[in-house]
Amino acid sequence: AAVATIAFQEPAAAAVLDSSNQGRGTTKTLTIEEAEDRFRAGRESVRKLLSSYELICEGGGDNVRRYLGTVGTTSGLFGIQKAMKTLSVKADDIVEYFELSTEIEKQIEQADSSAYMAIFTTTSTSGVPPEKYSKKLGLKLSVVRNPWTNLPK
């Protein structure tokens, strides 16, 4: 006769986030100078994306998302929220600063959503061509440029 056995695994150890370890990787606290550099790099990424938009779109939605900083870590927009938060201490009008930085984050998220949807249009049964999302994305990106011009250089 066959005997059925049930094996129980040991409970997994809980992961503990150590907030005292702020010196490495994406958890690193930015200095004002690092935040300013990242902010300038983010502004440059937006400029490159807008000036070479058609060519970048040919590489597909993920290519656009690389410039937006939502895929990979090479874009100047990668981690831009942290840079803007760090720079908030230098703002003359904190309310206006947070409104502008929130607008930038919102526009990046919306542009990212359109770029992400463009990835799947060729395999979708919806019949929506990728160009439709690219046009929407282009409009959203042109709006992204405006708040950047109102934040400190």
Side-chain angles (χ1 to χ4, degrees):
V3 177
T5 60
I6 300 174
F8 292 96
Q9 293 180 343
E10 292 292 320
V16 177
L17 297 177
D18 181 4
S19 62
S20 66
N21 186 11
Q22 296 294 314
R24 292 186 286 199
T26 57
T27 62
K28 180 179 181 244
T29 303
L30 296 177
T31 65
I32 294 292
E33 295 78 23
E34 290 169 325
E36 287 172 344
D37 288 345
R38 185 165 305 169
F39 187 84
R40 281 190 282 277
R43 185 179 281 160
E44 180 61 17
S45 289
V46 170
R47 189 198 63 73
K48 283 181 184 175
L49 181 55
L50 291 172
S51 66
S52 303
Y53 180 68
E54 296 296 323
L55 181 64
I56 291 168
C57 281
E58 288 177 13
D62 271 345
N63 197 38
V64 174
R65 295 176 74 217
R66 277 185 196 84
Y67 279 83
L68 292 171
T70 57
V71 169
T73 60
T74 57
S75 171
L77 291 172
F78 176 74
I80 197 66
Q81 295 86 354
K82 184 188 288 189
M84 289 189 296
K85 184 177 178 183
T86 300
L87 291 173
S88 67
V89 298
K90 294 179 70 173
D92 293 332
D93 183 342
I94 194 69
V95 173
E96 182 180 0
Y97 181 86
F98 274 113
E99 287 173 355
L100 286 169
S101 60
T102 299
E103 182 65 20
I104 289 171
E105 290 178 34
K106 181 178 108 180
Q107 295 301 329
I108 290 171
E109 288 172 10
Q110 289 177 348
D112 178 60
S113 294
S114 288
Y116 184 76
M117 286 187 273
I119 296 169
F120 300 102
T121 59
T122 55
T123 58
S124 170
T125 58
S126 70
V128 177
E131 295 77 29
K132 178 180 179 189
Y133 291 106
S134 297
K135 282 184 183 177
K136 282 177 65 176
L137 175 60
L139 291 173
K140 290 174 183 169
L141 288 172
S142 65
V143 173
V144 169
R145 180 185 301 173
N146 295 333
W148 283 94
T149 59
N150 295 322
L151 288 169
K153 304 249 185 266

